[in-house]
Amino acid sequence: MIDNITVVVFCLLLLISYMRTSTSLDSLSVNQYIKDGETLVSANGTFEMGFFSPGNSKGRYLGMWYKNLTPFTVLWVANRETPVNNNSGGVLKLNQNGVLVILNGANNTVWSSNISNKGGVTVVNNSTTAQLLDTGNLVLKIGPENILWQSFDYPCDILLPGMKLGWNLLTGSWNGRAFTGYPIQPLKQQQKFEFVMTDKEVYHRYEIIDKSLICVYRLTLSGNLEALVWTNHTNSMDGNIAKCECLKGYVPKNPDQWNISYWSSGCFPKMKSICGNNNTSGFLKYKEMKLPDTSSSWYNKTMNLVECQKLCLKNCSCTAYANTDIRNGGSGCLLWFDDVFDMRLYEQWGQDLYIRVPSEPDHVSVDIPGSKDNWMMHNKAVLIIVGFFTFTCIIIFIRRLASRVYGLLLFPKWQVYSRLRKEDMDLPVFDFSILVKASNNFSSVNKLGEGGFGPVYKGTLVDGKEVAIKRHSKVSDQGLEEFKNEIALIAKLQHRNLVNLLGCCIHKEEMLLLYEYMPNKSLDYFIFDETRSKLLVWTHRSNIIAGIARGLLYLHQDSRLKIIHRDMKTSNILLDAHMNPKISDFGLARTFRGDQVEAKTKKMVGTYGYMPPEYAVHGRYSMKSDVFSFGVIVLEIISGNKIKRFYDPEHSLNLLGHAWRLWIENMPMELLDTDLLDMCISSEVIRCIHVGLLCVQQKPGDRPDMSSVILMLNGEKLLPQPKAPGFYTGNGSTETISPSSNQMSATNFVGR
């Protein structure tokens, strides 16, 4: 009987212990705890805290994460240097001294909050609580206000909304709205930033304006700060290729290096001195600039911009100035001395920067605020010339943009579309309410994916026809121009390997395009997924390669317009129910005249990794640009590896370099996706690899055109030996690999 009573009491104690450490708790009182396998959950259910093991680690760590969010992302770790043994398990406890501790299986402390009082507040054992707040902050407090310790003061690699980042007086150029060196445009529109500098503390923090958006910042192992965003409206943030130019009045220090896009030597003034007895230096105003490095700068919060300029003119070492705060018309003075570094053009998110330059006879675009300055009074002739040229530039600017102003400002978007429709094509126009109903109010359940223009949703029209609806995103860098371009080009194209445009819709600020629905989504959805890639057998992949080639040949040669796509990549290759490829997304495409071979642009668009060298570095594009992108796609399809993710650390090579090395070492089949080894014809695989390498050669003139590519793929044309590809090393340079003496001959692998 006693034994039975003992058992019952023991079971009751276990039940009480379980109830006390239930996952529904958001706080712990003194002597309460949670064991490994149990969790704390914030009151709003957003955050959860418990023990976990990262990857293949055998240690257990106390961490905090978003409760119902995938992928699983740990936001904060307590015992990051002292894990608990996986076999013994761990316990998080608020001990009798009011200190949070983690105990291992031997009841030894491996981590603690290490605070018993703060700010003169004495900890009373039973009045101390530990709580996981709705912000993700684990706090140790007495009562509702007196916080003794908080996890926000000890961040790991993640910066959460509300966290303070500070105690460093060299935190960068804060202009009252944001750090000018932090150009994440789509996210800035959804966030509120704060920079506080007082006698007691200096810190930066951010808050989320759109509560449907989840965004944190993580410090990577390489020292980069990256944003992690969970949202239904995430914008694609593909990297851009940098281009350097010298400022007016400055020339490259090393022109030879500059001409081959090696810019590290920088620029220097045309005139050796910008100071002296005859001080005729002035300032050029550069708009939308990321401010230079502030390690050699000086600031004053009370001075205005005119006073700032005068002060800079008095010092021969002063090279530039700007406002410290751009709010409310601007205030404060920030001066730079000697050389300036790390200036960049950040459209929409930069600010005005005044660079000091010597005045020359042909250098008249000097912009100095404060018309009463002595310098300006003695240079009336310069001002007259400036006024004349300014007036001329305004007239030219207005005339060039007349059609755009007429379309965008004087008329609604539907009238712009109406003129476009009458002029270029007959395209069905859908009512916005129909598309709202078809997509279930653009439900996240219906979302198929997202590109540079915006998200794409599956829709079902009233007649039961399934469509794909591309909706413009407000945070997209693309807009009406790309919308019109897509309509004007793709509506005129008819080919089985091009996606079919069914109609469009413009409603107030909404711009939408309707396409035929592709049940198998895009190519990258399959080949870069470990499970789905197994469904793409060699016959499918070979058919996809041939279909893309036929589609490009039609664009380049067989359609009534010669079209350069400029954004060929796996995500823009859609797959129908039979896995047939269809090229999509013509928003960045351009047309060529019949005799035109090449064009040049200052605004590079597209996706890094698929860009050829001549476009990424010099802005030149042609049909051979699409050929290069096609070659990258071919090598991705064969290997199952993504160009932007693959890296061979042993040889410091990316995917192109890896394929090239295997080719010149007579091992081309090692490039093939291992899932295909038992179900492919090796001669076909090698022929495709050969064609892919010919397409990604460094020089455009060495690459075949698409008509030759199709003949090569069909085995109807001999293949020349490929030369080294462009951008094939790990760091993006084009260093040459010395081919082995046992070089392959094209005739060894061409199927007959």
Side-chain angles (χ1 to χ4, degrees):
M1 184 67 178
I2 295 177
D3 290 340
N4 291 337
I5 293 175
T6 303
V7 171
V8 171
V9 171
F10 179 74
C11 290
L12 287 173
L13 290 173
L14 284 178
L15 179 61
I16 293 171
S17 174
Y18 173 79
M19 293 175 62
R20 183 177 60 186
T21 59
S22 168
T23 58
S24 63
L25 291 177
D26 68 340
S27 62
L28 296 176
S29 300
V30 173
N31 288 334
Q32 280 191 311
Y33 58 88
I34 61 169
K35 300 182 295 184
D36 196 345
E38 300 172 341
T39 59
L40 278 177
V41 179
S42 63
N44 63 359
T46 300
F47 297 96
E48 185 175 35
M49 175 170 285
F51 288 91
F52 74 101
S53 293
N56 298 322
S57 172
K58 296 182 180 180
R60 300 292 285 172
Y61 297 84
L62 179 76
M64 187 265 294
W65 52 84
Y66 284 108
K67 188 175 188 298
N68 297 310
L69 201 64
T70 55
F72 177 75
T73 304
V74 177
L75 307 172
W76 182 80
V77 179
N79 57 321
R80 43 190 176 268
E81 297 178 355
T82 53
V84 177
N85 186 280
N86 196 13
N87 297 324
S88 62
V91 172
L92 174 66
K93 181 179 180 180
L94 186 58
N95 67 19
Q96 293 181 351
N97 296 321
V99 177
L100 273 173
V101 294
I102 296 177
L103 306 175
N104 60 19
N107 209 34
N108 295 323
T109 300
V110 298
W111 174 89
S112 75
S113 59
N114 199 29
I115 278 185
S116 58
N117 63 75
K118 183 179 180 181
V121 178
T122 302
V123 176
V124 181
N125 296 347
N126 295 328
S127 64
T128 307
T129 58
Q131 183 178 13
L132 181 59
L133 303 181
D134 292 343
T135 58
N137 191 9
L138 178 65
V139 300
L140 190 62
K141 61 182 182 178
I142 297 177
E145 301 295 336
N146 296 324
I147 295 180
L148 307 175
W149 177 93
Q150 57 181 345
S151 61
F152 270 19
D153 287 342
Y154 302 90
C156 298
D157 60 341
I158 293 287
L159 191 67
L160 286 168
M163 276 188 176
K164 294 180 179 180
L165 180 65
W167 299 286
N168 179 3
L169 295 178
L170 296 177
T171 53
S173 300
W174 177 260
N175 61 20
R177 294 178 181 170
F179 289 110
T180 61
Y182 171 61
I184 306 179
Q185 292 94 331
L187 290 182
K188 279 190 175 182
Q189 296 177 357
Q190 308 296 335
Q191 298 175 346
K192 177 183 177 182
F193 297 92
E194 182 183 9
F195 180 71
V196 176
M197 182 174 181
T198 67
D199 295 337
K200 296 182 179 179
E201 57 184 350
V202 177
Y203 65 85
H204 167 262
R205 67 180 178 186
Y206 72 101
E207 300 290 345
I208 303 298
I209 299 173
D210 183 355
K211 297 304 180 183
S212 66
L213 181 76
I214 294 177
C215 173
V216 300
Y217 291 88
R218 177 168 60 193
L219 185 64
T220 67
L221 295 176
S222 60
N224 295 322
L225 188 67
E226 65 181 12
L228 304 178
V229 184
W230 291 265
T231 175
N232 290 333
H233 303 284
T234 303
N235 185 40
S236 176
M237 297 183 186
D238 293 320
N240 294 321
I241 304 301
K243 180 182 179 182
C244 287
E245 295 180 356
C246 287
L247 301 173
K248 292 181 180 179
Y250 292 78
V251 293
K253 287 184 179 179
N254 192 323
D256 293 336
Q257 291 184 354
W258 200 269
N259 291 334
I260 60 173
S261 303
Y262 187 75
W263 305 299
S264 63
S265 58
C267 307
F268 70 102
K270 290 181 181 179
M271 298 180 66
K272 294 183 178 180
S273 175
I274 60 173
C275 218
N277 295 329
N278 297 319
N279 185 0
T280 58
S281 62
F283 296 88
L284 281 176
K285 178 181 178 181
Y286 287 85
K287 296 183 177 181
E288 298 179 336
M289 296 293 292
K290 178 260 178 194
L291 296 186
D293 179 85
T294 55
S295 58
S296 60
S297 65
W298 174 91
Y299 75 94
N300 183 294
K301 287 187 175 182
T302 62
M303 296 177 66
N304 59 38
L305 205 59
V306 175
E307 295 170 331
C308 189
Q309 182 211 80
K310 291 180 179 179
L311 187 61
C312 188
L313 281 172
K314 293 178 181 179
N315 191 319
C316 290
S317 299
C318 182
T319 50
Y321 71 92
N323 277 136
T324 58
D325 194 325
I326 63 173
R327 294 174 295 180
N328 303 320
S331 63
C333 175
L334 183 59
L335 300 180
W336 283 266
F337 300 93
D338 300 319
D339 294 336
V340 291
F341 302 95
D342 194 20
M343 289 180 292
R344 303 179 190 180
L345 177 65
Y346 283 158
E347 294 184 0
Q348 300 179 14
W349 299 104
Q351 70 178 86
D352 293 347
L353 174 65
Y354 297 85
I355 302 292
R356 191 172 190 170
V357 293
S359 182
E360 302 176 33
D362 60 342
H363 191 81
V364 295
S365 55
V366 178
D367 186 348
I368 302 182
S371 59
K372 296 182 180 180
D373 289 352
N374 291 333
W375 185 90
M376 297 180 71
M377 293 297 293
H378 293 290
N379 290 274
K380 292 182 179 180
V382 173
L383 295 177
I384 293 174
I385 297 175
V386 170
F388 173 79
F389 275 97
T390 301
F391 177 78
T392 303
C393 291
I394 291 174
I395 295 299
I396 295 174
F397 180 80
I398 291 176
R399 293 188 63 180
R400 286 186 175 181
L401 298 184
S403 59
R404 179 177 295 181
V405 173
Y406 181 79
L408 293 179
L409 300 181
L410 301 182
F411 292 92
K413 286 182 180 177
W414 69 267
Q415 290 184 327
V416 176
Y417 165 74
S418 178
R419 295 201 310 276
L420 179 67
R421 181 185 177 194
K422 292 177 182 178
E423 184 177 311
D424 294 325
M425 75 286 172
D426 184 15
L427 187 68
V429 181
F430 286 79
D431 188 85
F432 183 68
S433 61
I434 293 178
L435 302 186
V436 171
K437 184 177 180 180
S439 62
N440 192 20
N441 197 21
F442 302 106
S443 168
S444 59
V445 178
N446 288 42
K447 187 175 180 181
L448 300 173
E450 188 157 0
F453 186 81
V456 182
Y457 300 88
K458 179 182 178 181
T460 305
L461 302 179
V462 290
D463 60 358
K465 185 175 184 178
E466 293 181 329
V467 296
I469 305 172
K470 183 191 290 188
R471 185 185 190 189
H472 181 248
S473 171
K474 293 181 180 180
V475 298
S476 172
D477 291 333
Q478 300 182 27
L480 183 61
E481 196 64 34
E482 288 77 14
F483 179 79
K484 291 163 56 180
N485 195 52
E486 183 105 354
I487 293 175
L489 291 181
I490 197 171
K492 301 176 181 179
L493 304 177
Q494 296 293 330
H495 192 272
R496 62 178 178 174
N497 294 117
L498 302 183
V499 69
N500 187 21
L501 180 64
L502 304 177
C504 66
C505 171
I506 295 183
H507 175 77
K508 296 181 180 179
E509 297 302 316
E510 294 279 358
M511 293 183 289
L512 304 101
L513 295 165
L514 273 74
Y515 300 90
E516 58 179 324
Y517 174 64
M518 297 287 108
N520 284 316
K521 299 186 178 181
S522 59
L523 179 57
D524 66 336
Y525 178 75
F526 275 89
I527 63 171
F528 302 136
D529 182 84
E530 184 176 351
T531 302
R532 290 187 288 268
S533 63
K534 293 180 173 61
L535 303 176
L536 277 183
V537 297
W538 173 247
T539 54
H540 286 149
R541 301 194 191 201
S542 176
N543 177 65
I544 290 170
I545 291 173
I548 299 171
R550 288 192 297 268
L552 276 178
L553 176 62
Y554 174 79
L555 294 176
H556 292 177
Q557 178 176 310
D558 296 337
S559 67
R560 71 181 186 88
L561 300 171
K562 186 188 293 186
I563 298 174
I564 314 301
H565 189 279
R566 297 208 305 169
D567 198 19
M568 288 293 298
K569 56 185 176 182
T570 51
S571 60
N572 284 339
I573 306 299
L574 305 184
L575 301 175
D576 66 11
H578 303 289
M579 304 301 286
N580 295 313
K582 291 179 182 276
I583 301 173
S584 69
D585 202 341
F586 288 77
L588 303 180
R590 291 293 181 266
T591 58
F592 273 11
R593 301 183 303 272
D595 59 345
Q596 188 176 1
V597 176
E598 186 182 72
K600 188 173 182 179
T601 180
K602 293 182 178 179
K603 181 181 179 182
M604 267 70 80
V605 294
T607 305
Y608 181 73
Y610 299 91
M611 291 181 180
E614 70 275 8
Y615 180 63
V617 178
H618 302 293
R620 300 189 183 97
Y621 63 92
S622 64
M623 290 184 291
K624 296 300 181 71
S625 304
D626 285 350
V627 172
F628 183 93
S629 303
F630 171 77
V632 175
I633 294 173
V634 169
L635 298 178
E636 287 182 321
I637 292 173
I638 293 172
S639 66
N641 291 310
K642 191 173 181 66
I643 183 69
K644 294 173 67 174
R645 296 178 185 170
F646 181 87
Y647 178 69
D648 177 9
E650 183 178 351
H651 302 91
S652 298
L653 297 171
N654 62 12
L655 180 60
L656 302 187
H658 178 64
W660 173 243
R661 182 184 66 82
L662 294 177
W663 178 264
I664 63 179
E665 293 180 1
N666 295 342
M667 300 184 295
M669 289 298 291
E670 290 194 13
L671 182 68
L672 184 66
D673 189 332
T674 54
D675 292 332
L676 304 177
L677 288 174
D678 299 330
M679 56 183 76
C680 69
I681 302 174
S682 60
S683 61
E684 291 183 359
V685 174
I686 294 172
R687 187 189 309 133
C688 288
I689 295 174
H690 196 159
V691 172
L693 288 172
L694 288 172
C695 291
V696 298
Q697 292 178 105
Q698 170 79 12
K699 296 181 179 179
D702 293 334
R703 302 170 205 153
D705 56 29
M706 291 311 301
S707 59
S708 297
V709 166
I710 291 177
L711 292 175
M712 292 175 181
L713 290 174
N714 294 335
E716 300 173 7
K717 184 174 182 177
L718 289 176
L719 282 69
Q721 184 66 18
K723 299 176 183 177
F727 289 154
Y728 65 80
T729 63
N731 57 14
S733 62
T734 54
E735 299 169 1
T736 302
I737 300 177
S738 300
S740 64
S741 58
N742 187 21
Q743 212 172 25
M744 291 194 297
S745 170
T747 56
N748 290 342
F749 303 106
V750 175
R752 299 290 183 184

